[in-house]
Amino acid sequence: MPGSDVATKTHCPYCALQCGMEIGPGLAIGPRTDIPANASGALCQKGWTAGELLTNGRRLTTPLLHGEAVDWDVALDHVADRLAAIRAEHGPDAVAVFGGGGLTNEKAYSLGKFARVALGTSQIDYNGRFCMSSAAAASIRAFGMDRGMPFPITDLDEADVVLIAGGNVAETMPPFVRHLDGPRLIVIDPRRTQTAKLAWLHLQPTPGTDLALALGLLHLAIADDLVDEEYVAARTTGFDEVRTSLSSWWPERVERVTGVPVHQMRQAVRALAAVGKAYILTGRGAEQHAKGTDTVTAFINLALALGLPGRHGSGYGCVTGQGNGQGGREHGQKADQLPGYRKIDDPAAREHLAGIWGIPAEDIPGPGRSAYELLDALGTPDGPRALLLFGSNPIVSAPAADHVAARIGALDLLVTCDFVMSETAAMADVVLPVTQWAEESGTMTNLEGRVLLRRRAVTPPEGVRSDLDVIAGLAGRLGHTFETDPAAVFDELRRASQGGPADYSGITYERIANETGVFWPCPAPGHPGTPRPFLDRFAHPDGRARFTPVQHRPAAEEPDADYPVYLSTGRVLAHYQSGAQTRRIAPLVEAAPEPFVELHPDLAEQLDIAAGDVVRVSSRRGEGRAVARISDAIRRDTVFMPFHWEGANRLTNPALDPTSRMPEFKVCAVRVERDS
């Protein structure tokens, strides 16, 4: 594959840190030093080996129709004809679209527009629903706006104390750790992860009890007179109701529920309250629960009580996981949102987008099903009969994965756009080979809310088209004209987002290049962008943040006699998401060749399991097999499995958070046995 003779400045294809990198001659990868996330010149193992994604021998380069190679016109004609026939027979909602948090802002925008304008369907969501939807819902509830980390990541460099609840940044995004060299680090996690090993204080709760722990921490802050009463009075509402709601969460009760000793809770709260610069961050471990929105709300309540959000040098933030998890939901992939982070049932938002799209506002569909609910409805009498899948691999990544596979198998039409034959693509009627990462240009919005520019660095293989080309090709066959040039799509996105909470209208490709990223909201060309949106006021109409009372409740599924052990899932350093990319990169496979089951020595002895044994883990939804790894880093009542391979998500529970519709990935009940 030909590359440029000079280095091209771009960004890593993986996580939401979006580290700056250069691609030089021969696809040589090097770090940039002008992007704050990794300005020290750091990349993780995934980043250093990213060039191999572009030369992988298992790359898709020809459209496949029922497994047979065909030319593009045949493939697109077939898809458009089938979509038209299914819509004619069953209605527009019989066709669904499922997107991904790794798609550029331009693709996310075009995909949402395609669903609503060309297909007329309400049935669109994306795998970002599985990522940070609970934190988003809690942030909107508390602050009136959701922007992951509402401050530059470099602010953490000067912090005195940082608490991370349910995040393992040392493995998921290693360059992040360089911003934690200075602060005292407090980590909340049922495992002694690589991040927890760096911590000054590690709180190790029973899985599914993060909410109770957050309530206990705030109870202690109140009891020990650590609340910033002046801040609470000046910048918030609702604290009295929260104070009253905490009366039953005395420390000793919280210790019984969570297993975290009272003295450790007190250490954590006093450390946060005693310093001038402190941050509370949440990750998937706290959020991927059927009570994830309330859990994040409880941590935000703690942050507000201590006077942290909206101050330079302190605050609350969510550590976004997917590369464009933030931008992916801002511009239209999410079932209930229109571009600019507008609500789809807001009449003014609908009128604004209708003017951009040139259609009557009443023609824009209403809210559709959330991600898991959409997958669960596939092929049912009242559900979608066809699915277009972009940038996602739900056979591996969705909860209750065996059930999801059965639902996908019941479709009349499955179309996937991918650059490798993922487990889900292998089930498709039509597979369309698309460009990736360094073969195309586009913008990404990283975990700070900084809009960044990925530049095309290499020529894609012959026969491969971009997702924008695919969307435009299908739209044209259905009677609509869509842009294929990323810069032109971004200009339309800017107009579509204007006036919304996520206003990109003042951002241009030229500005991003000159300023190494622009923070939204940026509502005018001369606007400097907004690195810290809450310094003067929060985004509610009265400018105040909202305390919200919440109460702990058990996990949707607790251990019992049949399934006596907790299962928790997560990532390992060498792999990313469903592994469709990283499990094809030789150095990464060598570093982490297979899944594993991590269990405590006491549990292993009880079950007569030795390191290296093949272990069968079963839940009420399915079973998986993996090699046993014995470690005292895990609780005695818990096992851990990484989710980058098929297996872990056959077990996980699709119980949904009532607000965010986030599935309960992080805790379920399982039975563990040595495989005979």
Side-chain angles (χ1 to χ4, degrees), residues 536-588:
D536 299 321
R537 65 191 314 276
F538 295 101
H540 287 297
D542 61 3
R544 291 172 174 262
R546 305 279 192 266
F547 281 95
T548 301
V550 292
Q551 289 295 321
H552 174 70
R553 51 192 183 273
E557 183 179 80
E558 293 279 3
D560 57 20
D562 294 325
Y563 300 95
V565 177
Y566 290 105
L567 169 70
S568 188
T569 65
R571 298 173 171 89
V572 297
L573 188 152
H575 292 294
Y576 179 68
Q577 299 300 87
S578 74
Q581 295 159 284
T582 53
R583 286 187 280 112
R584 290 166 169 83
I585 304 301
L588 301 180

Side-chain angles (χ1 to χ4, degrees), residues 212-217 249-260 265:
L213 180 56
L215 297 174
L217 294 174
W249 289 102
W250 60 90
E252 291 75 15
R253 180 190 178 196
V254 175
E255 179 175 331
R256 288 197 301 272
V257 172
T258 67
V260 176
M265 292 186 247

Side-chain angles (χ1 to χ4, degrees), residues 200-508:
W200 164 73
L201 180 63
H202 175 206
L203 311 183
Q204 198 167 9
T206 301
T209 64
D210 304 80
L211 176 48
L213 180 56
L215 297 174
L217 294 174
L218 182 49
H219 183 111
L220 279 168
I222 295 169
D224 292 354
D225 198 25
L226 301 176
V227 174
D228 187 334
E229 298 286 358
E230 183 179 346
Y231 170 98
V232 168
R235 301 206 59 188
T236 74
T237 63
F239 182 58
D240 287 342
E241 292 86 348
V242 167
R243 190 196 306 262
T244 300
S245 73
L246 292 167
S247 60
S248 63
W249 289 102
W250 60 90
E252 291 75 15
R253 180 190 178 196
V254 175
E255 179 175 331
R256 288 197 301 272
V257 172
T258 67
V260 176
V262 172
H263 75 273
Q264 288 189 347
M265 292 186 247
R266 185 165 274 117
Q267 276 183 287
V269 171
R270 289 181 174 176
L272 288 166
V275 298
K277 295 182 177 181
Y279 290 87
I280 294 175
L281 308 177
T282 62
R284 303 301 80 72
E287 299 160 13
Q288 286 181 323
H289 295 271
K291 54 181 180 292
T293 302
D294 286 351
T295 300
V296 176
T297 295
F299 280 109
I300 292 175
N301 286 344
L302 174 64
L304 290 171
L306 298 176
L308 306 184
R311 284 182 167 172
H312 194 155
S314 295
Y316 161 79
C318 162
V319 182
T320 310
Q322 293 195 77
N324 201 29
Q326 180 79 50
R329 69 182 178 283
E330 291 167 4
H331 298 301
Q333 287 190 95
K334 200 159 170 273
D336 56 352
Q337 286 178 194
L338 291 171
Y341 221 133
R342 291 177 163 91
K343 297 293 290 182
I344 200 168
D345 54 4
D346 176 1
R350 295 170 66 84
E351 288 291 344
H352 175 77
L353 266 299
I356 301 292
W357 291 344
I359 62 173
E362 57 269 23
D363 286 357
I364 299 175
R369 295 177 172 94
S370 71
Y372 180 77
E373 291 167 303
L374 176 57
L375 296 172
D376 184 46
L378 297 177
T380 63
D382 297 323
R385 311 294 306 178
L387 177 66
L388 305 181
L389 192 68
F390 290 77
S392 188
N393 186 19
I395 294 295
V396 177
S397 62
D402 285 346
H403 173 70
V404 169
R407 296 270 41 89
I408 289 175
L411 287 165
D412 295 339
L413 176 69
L414 173 63
V415 181
T416 64
C417 292
D418 215 326
F419 51 85
V420 293
M421 187 62 78
S422 70
E423 287 80 358
T424 309
M427 296 183 65
D429 301 285
V430 181
V431 181
L432 303 175
V434 292
T435 51
Q436 57 159 317
W437 172 51
E439 299 165 354
E440 58 189 11
S441 295
T443 59
M444 305 284 280
T445 305
N446 79 346
L447 78 176
E448 312 161 283
R450 189 191 302 260
V451 185
L452 301 165
L453 180 61
R454 280 188 181 174
R455 296 171 175 86
R456 174 171 162 154
V458 298
T459 303
E462 187 175 351
V464 170
R465 297 186 183 181
S466 75
D467 292 281
L468 293 179
D469 285 322
V470 172
I471 293 168
L474 291 174
R477 287 165 170 80
L478 296 172
H480 301 270
T481 301
F482 276 49
E483 281 285 354
T484 60
D485 174 58
V489 175
F490 189 74
D491 282 342
E492 184 177 318
L493 180 158
R494 293 171 58 211
R495 292 186 288 118
S497 71
Q498 189 168 21
D503 191 332
Y504 283 33
S505 58
I507 304 175
T508 64

Side-chain angles (χ1 to χ4, degrees), residues 657-675:
D657 181 291
T659 303
S660 69
R661 316 310 288 169
M662 165 77 85
E664 187 149 274
F665 284 102
K666 279 296 180 279
V667 58
C668 68
V670 297
R671 181 173 59 250
V672 182
E673 306 160 285
R674 188 173 61 185
D675 191 47

